[in-house]
Amino acid sequence: MGKLSAKSDYESLRDARISENMARMEMLGLLRCAVELSDIASASSSRASPRKAPKPRVMSMTPLRRSGRLVAATQTASASTRRRSARLNGESVQHKALPPIGALSKLAAVAAEEKDEDEENLALVVDKKRVQALQERRCDSKARGAVYDPVLGICCHFCRQKKLCGEEDCKRCGEGDLKQPCLGKTDCSSCHSSNGILCRACLKVRYGEAEMEEVRKNKNWMCPHCIEEKGIRKFWICNSSFCLKKRKIPPTGIAIYAAREQGYESVAHLLMDRLKRQAF
């Protein structure tokens, strides 16, 4: 195809619009302002100082840093500084004689006696220095207590708070006797482990169990964890965060208010009813 000699309608219309806009800009004085601005910009660029070229950095030939292990040293110097055992240097080595038969058992017995003495001394220190402060800070609340003590406090399986109980006859929390049990914490007759330690508040609110006085009188009391493992009560589970995570169940948080609004005695009864409905 050859080149078209005449302009198309679009090009002619475009040229007419361009000429019309240029005439309007000249009438408004925009062309004159544009020329003046370009002159000012060119003048300022000519007055500006030329940019200096960066000076090349002179790299001095400093000696290389090398480890003393890699530097070639003389044989005498290396022999004097080299670490060698006494056997390789030709020196006599004296070996310690082994203890006679039965001496190890005697040493173990002595260590056990020293450990018992240390525990007794620790109990005396706690009894002297902390009893007065404990009596001043200890509250009368029989729920979870309000005084945290990492030495005398026993950790609850659910709330995991090492707080002193508010029981009047508790010699551990009241008198600072480490050898005595805490009367404000439960003890499972089956496992005797940390899973069976619950405070009064968690025992009632989370599991709906009997009062602490009844639990202490019942020598065959079993913790919720052991009841779950032995299958004594169907659909009964321990609702602590540890046990729920093992079952891949999210922890409930503070669910006692929702449980009581729905008519349940505790959070454990609420979860037991949910598991029943899921099974059927």
Side-chain angles (χ1 to χ4, degrees), residues 7-20:
K7 290 184 177 180
S8 63
D9 297 338
Y10 169 76
E11 291 179 351
S12 59
L13 182 62
R14 178 174 172 272
D15 293 340
R17 287 182 178 176
I18 290 174
S19 59
E20 183 182 356

Side-chain angles (χ1 to χ4, degrees), residues 189-204:
S189 61
S190 178
C191 63
H192 297 286
S193 65
S194 60
N195 294 329
I197 298 177
L198 296 171
C199 63
R200 182 186 289 267
C202 294
L203 184 70
K204 186 71 176 177

